[in-house]
Every structure is written in C-alpha cells, then in structure tokens.
Amino acid sequence: MAGLTDEQARLLQEPNFATAATLNQDGSLQLSIVWIDWDGEHVLFNTAAGRAKPRNLERDPRVSVLVVDREDGYRWVAVRGTAEVTTERAAEHIDELARKYTGKGWQPRPSERRLVVRFRPEHVSAYGF
C-alpha cells in the first residue's frame, strides 16, 4: 500500500483543486474537478447521487485524482486507488469542504443526496517535492 508524505498530504489538505478520473461503462475516462480532502489515511472527495462519478464507481471502483498546487502548477501529486462510496457524514463533509474552499458553508440543494468517495492510496506519483 502506497502512502503520502506529509508534504504531499498538505496539497490535499490545502484548498487545491483536484481532477478526479473514473471509468465510463465503455472504458473511456470521465474527468471532473473536485474539492479534495485527506484524513490521514484516505483521499476523500464529495459528490451527489445520480452523477457520473458515483455511477461509474459502483460499477468499477478504480479512481485516480491529480492535485495541482495552486501556487506552482509544476508541483503535483497523483493518487490511484479503489474507492468506497458512502453517505456517512456526507452532508457534514461537503460543508467542511465548502468552508475550506469558499470560506462559506454549503447551501443544500433540494432533493440532492450527498456522497463521500474515499480511498486508500495504492499508487502515488508526484513532481516538485
């Protein structure tokens, strides 16, 4: 099992955007920008039920994220793993991420069900460290 160095983990703890990749049913990649988080063991991001990411991860749990330092685009970390999708603490997690990235709390959307995607790093590559 791969791990993140403290310096690499800081990229996930700071308000740097990440690109998350999942696999569509036809094998093509689905990419989207996400707010990213690190709990000391897992990479986490938040999404909503009905979107492509959770549908793809239910079928094939492989996921990859690329986090680029907002101060230096040549400093980045890429993490791959096998994701678990859960509703546990999802509403609280999106609120924490909103505060981290915008300084304001999350405004829930009617009938939206939030999901947390979490995975342990299985492969890590990085540049600029």
Side-chain angles (χ1 to χ4, degrees):
M1 186 72 58
L4 297 177
T5 67
D6 289 344
E7 195 174 4
Q8 291 168 346
R10 268 195 299 282
L11 274 189
L12 283 71
Q13 294 165 325
E14 296 170 350
N16 295 301
F17 291 100
T19 301
T22 61
L23 291 169
N24 289 315
Q25 190 167 7
D26 66 2
S28 64
L29 292 173
Q30 187 273 332
L31 300 171
S32 55
I33 303 298
V34 296
W35 291 341
I36 199 77
D37 201 5
W38 173 251
D39 70 4
E41 186 177 347
H42 301 94
V43 175
L44 301 100
F45 61 88
N46 204 290
T47 188
R51 292 184 180 169
K53 284 185 299 299
R55 278 196 314 270
N56 287 345
L57 291 169
E58 287 173 16
R59 189 185 61 263
D60 185 334
R62 292 178 292 173
V63 63
S64 181
V65 297
L66 171 67
V67 185
V68 179
D69 187 331
R70 68 190 184 285
E71 305 278 326
D72 178 358
Y74 293 104
R75 190 167 176 261
W76 54 264
V77 62
V79 187
R80 291 193 318 245
T82 304
E84 165 190 284
V85 180
T86 181
T87 57
E88 182 183 331
R89 287 199 73 254
E92 294 87 355
H93 185 246
I94 191 60
D95 188 64
E96 292 165 5
L97 288 172
R99 290 177 192 285
K100 171 180 163 179
Y101 281 87
T102 70
K104 300 175 185 170
W106 181 254
Q107 298 301 313
R109 297 183 177 124
S111 71
E112 183 177 70
R113 187 169 56 104
R114 300 303 306 185
L115 303 168
V116 173
V117 177
R118 86 170 40 99
F119 65 97
R120 284 189 174 91
E122 294 172 6
H123 183 270
V124 176
S125 56
Y127 186 82
F129 293 89

